[in-house]
Amino acid sequence: MDQIRIVIADDHPLYREGVARTLSEDAGLLVVGQAQDAPGAVELTERMTPDLLLLDISMPGGGGLQALRQVMALPNPPKVAMLTASEEDDEVMQALKAGALGYVLKGVGSRELVGIVKDLARGQSYVSPSLAGRLLAAMRGGQKAKAANPLEDLSKREEEILRLVAEGKSNKEVGLALDLQEKTVKHYMTSILQKLHLRNRVEAAVFAREHLR
Amino acid sequence: MDQIRIVIADDHPLYREGVARTLSEDAGLLVVGQAQDAPGAVELTERMTPDLLLLDISMPGGGGLQALRQVMALPNPPKVAMLTASEEDDEVMQALKAGALGYVLKGVGSRELVGIVKDLARGQSYVSPSLAGRLLAAMRGGQKAKAANPLEDLSKREEEILRLVAEGKSNKEVGLALDLQEKTVKHYMTSILQKLHLRNRVEAAVFAREHLR
DNA sequence: GCTGCCTTCGGACTTTAGCCCGTTTTCCGG
DNA sequence: CCGGAAAACGGGCTAAAGTCCGAAGGCAGC
């Protein structure tokens, strides 16, 4: 049986090193390339046509999610696993929706990683346990799988107002900034809170900080 | 000349591995221990009395900053460098104020790290360039060096309340959660806003999200 | 041409938030 | 022992936030 050909993309040289060496120690695995940014990852994947791409989410040059989408658009896309420190449900969702086979937190042990990589290469998906639980919960709560971003429900104006609220502005100040009546801003707030299933402007501000921009 | 004895603390096994191997390849350096959490780092440092401690900031069991303070309180504290992905000015400040000699971002290259480690062992401080600039700016802006955190002004209770506010809770809900009168919570809010120079609870929530963990 | 959604506003509310006056208890340092 | 800060509470008040009515023009799709 052939070796599993792997490309690693991570902007931290030392972490990349750790992963590469750990995987290389297993006879069944072969690291055929390393990239340090999103464009590099796409380019390398295209050139090396690996079986598996380990992709960090937080990378310069567009971020791992964008790289994921580009890689999946290639003629013979490899299996892709996101390897990341982030636990944002949102990003997990987006990554899996975009075609990632696995989502592995950077805290994994070396021994574990080798096992996971082999599973992934066989087409077996993998999501780190601590995430898996919350993922399932999110799906149960959100019915089918649309939980990605309720932000899309917001109109242009609503989003604009939400941004200002997230900066700590009062309704009156938002009105002043956008040349609207305070009353109108209040109406928008009500609608924003309803659409995002939030209870008050503090929750809205926090939500905006974490999901907007 | 003796080798430089180093302890590495990081909760990511793979990253730890990468650092350890990179450093070990240099004849002048000797990795004498690895820890994966804050208490472990303190304990290991106490037992091994290394020359240098490389400390990750985000670690289970209290976080790297706490470990830093404990380590510095030891009879013969090693030189300590924070090794982290975080770029929070706040944390850099706190770390340096607590006695860290260096603040190295995880994005460093292997070759660089070896050089930096040797500098540190000689007592030469080091702060990653991208941070150094902003640090100086912060100091110029904040006069002397007090810019660390206005959070220290908050009493225990105030901080507790701020956390709940940052979750979107109303004064009444905070009162319910902490078994206080709504009125009391309002009083605390007034005092919190005053101390942090903020105008309303939305700003407080945003502030808390960015400066409180 | 009708049906929606977006944008904008007004009236009339109720509920929260925030400030300024106080008081009491406790606890800690000089 | 006294001062000061923290912790908790109360009254009274103004302003801000949020909700529920309704309404009007615009622009898109069917």
Side-chain angles (χ1 to χ4, degrees):
Chain A
M1 204 165 101
D2 282 357
Q3 282 180 310
I4 300 170
R5 296 156 45 79
I6 304 170
V7 163
I8 302 167
D10 193 310
D11 59 328
H12 295 162
L14 289 167
Y15 193 83
R16 226 164 52 220
E17 199 79 353
V19 174
R21 292 196 186 190
T22 297
L23 296 183
S24 295
E25 276 175 3
D26 190 289
L29 310 179
L30 182 63
V31 176
V32 295
Q34 299 185 30
Q36 59 185 340
D37 53 26
V42 177
E43 196 269 336
L44 239 189
T45 300
E46 200 168 0
R47 243 186 32 232
M48 305 301 297
T49 59
D51 302 305
L52 216 205
L53 205 210
L54 291 178
L55 237 192
D56 185 15
I57 277 211
S58 60
M59 272 194 303
L65 280 176
Q66 196 185 307
L68 207 209
R69 296 201 183 90
Q70 290 180 252
V71 165
M72 293 312 289
L74 292 177
N76 247 322
K79 302 183 171 71
V80 182
M82 309 309 285
L83 182 55
T84 171
S86 163
E87 294 198 34
E88 291 293 312
D89 287 345
D90 227 49
E91 291 184 335
V92 186
M93 277 299 217
Q94 288 191 251
L96 295 181
K97 247 182 32 181
L101 231 201
Y103 202 102
V104 185
L105 291 180
K106 281 194 171 177
V108 270
S110 334
R111 219 90 32 87
E112 285 170 83
L113 218 215
V114 172
I116 293 169
V117 161
K118 289 183 176 175
D119 283 351
L120 288 167
R122 285 207 321 274
Q124 170 69 54
S125 74
Y126 177 88
V127 174
S128 281
S130 69
L131 287 175
R134 286 192 293 129
L135 245 203
L136 289 177
M139 283 181 140
R140 270 197 305 276
Q143 261 124 312
K144 283 173 202 298
K146 59 127 218 175
N149 59 341
L151 268 177
E152 281 169 6
D153 295 344
L154 294 188
S155 73
K156 225 172 294 175
R157 209 43 159 172
E158 287 166 344
E159 188 177 320
E160 202 171 354
I161 284 167
L162 179 54
R163 279 178 205 282
L164 296 178
V165 169
E167 288 171 17
K169 285 192 163 55
S170 69
N171 289 331
K172 190 181 291 180
E173 289 167 332
V174 171
L176 228 54
L178 300 181
D179 199 32
L180 295 176
Q181 292 306 113
E182 179 187 353
K183 205 53 197 289
T184 306
V185 178
K186 284 188 174 187
H187 284 311
Y188 277 118
M189 262 321 284
T190 299
S191 142
I192 290 169
L193 294 179
Q194 221 166 295
K195 286 188 180 176
L196 301 182
H197 309 291
L198 302 174
R199 297 184 306 150
N200 56 52
R201 60 175 41 224
V202 176
E203 287 191 359
V206 169
F207 180 91
R209 293 257 155 191
E210 292 182 351
H211 298 91
L212 227 57
R213 152 173 15 293
Chain B
M1 203 165 108
D2 283 356
Q3 282 181 310
I4 298 170
R5 295 158 43 80
I6 303 170
V7 163
I8 302 167
D10 193 310
D11 59 326
H12 294 162
L14 290 167
Y15 193 83
R16 228 164 52 221
E17 197 79 353
V19 174
R21 294 197 187 191
T22 297
L23 296 183
S24 295
E25 275 174 5
D26 190 288
L29 309 179
L30 182 63
V31 177
V32 296
Q34 301 185 29
Q36 60 185 342
D37 54 27
V42 177
E43 195 269 336
L44 239 189
T45 301
E46 198 169 2
R47 241 185 34 229
M48 304 303 297
T49 58
D51 302 306
L52 217 204
L53 205 209
L54 291 178
L55 238 190
D56 185 14
I57 278 212
S58 61
M59 272 194 303
L65 280 176
Q66 198 185 308
L68 207 209
R69 297 202 181 88
Q70 290 179 252
V71 164
M72 293 312 289
L74 292 178
N76 248 322
K79 301 182 173 70
V80 182
M82 308 310 283
L83 182 56
T84 171
S86 161
E87 294 199 35
E88 291 293 313
D89 286 346
D90 228 50
E91 291 183 334
V92 186
M93 278 300 216
Q94 286 191 251
L96 296 180
K97 244 181 34 181
L101 232 202
Y103 202 101
V104 186
L105 291 181
K106 282 195 169 176
V108 270
S110 333
R111 218 93 29 90
E112 284 170 84
L113 219 214
V114 172
I116 293 170
V117 160
K118 288 182 176 176
D119 283 350
L120 288 167
R122 285 206 322 274
Q124 171 69 54
S125 74
Y126 177 88
V127 174
S128 281
S130 68
L131 286 175
R134 285 192 294 130
L135 245 203
L136 290 177
M139 282 179 141
R140 272 196 305 275
Q143 261 126 309
K144 281 170 203 298
K146 58 125 216 175
N149 57 343
L151 271 176
E152 279 172 8
D153 295 345
L154 294 188
S155 71
K156 224 169 298 174
R157 208 47 157 170
E158 287 166 344
E159 190 177 318
E160 201 170 355
I161 285 167
L162 179 53
R163 278 177 206 282
L164 296 178
V165 168
E167 289 171 15
K169 285 192 162 53
S170 70
N171 290 331
K172 191 183 291 182
E173 289 168 333
V174 171
L176 227 53
L178 300 182
D179 199 32
L180 296 176
Q181 293 305 114
E182 180 188 353
K183 204 55 196 285
T184 306
V185 178
K186 283 185 172 188
H187 284 310
Y188 278 119
M189 259 327 279
T190 299
S191 143
I192 290 170
L193 294 179
Q194 221 167 299
K195 287 186 180 177
L196 300 182
H197 308 292
L198 302 174
R199 297 184 305 151
N200 55 54
R201 58 174 43 223
V202 177
E203 287 191 359
V206 169
F207 181 92
R209 292 259 155 189
E210 289 181 352
H211 298 94
L212 230 55
R213 72 211 78 277

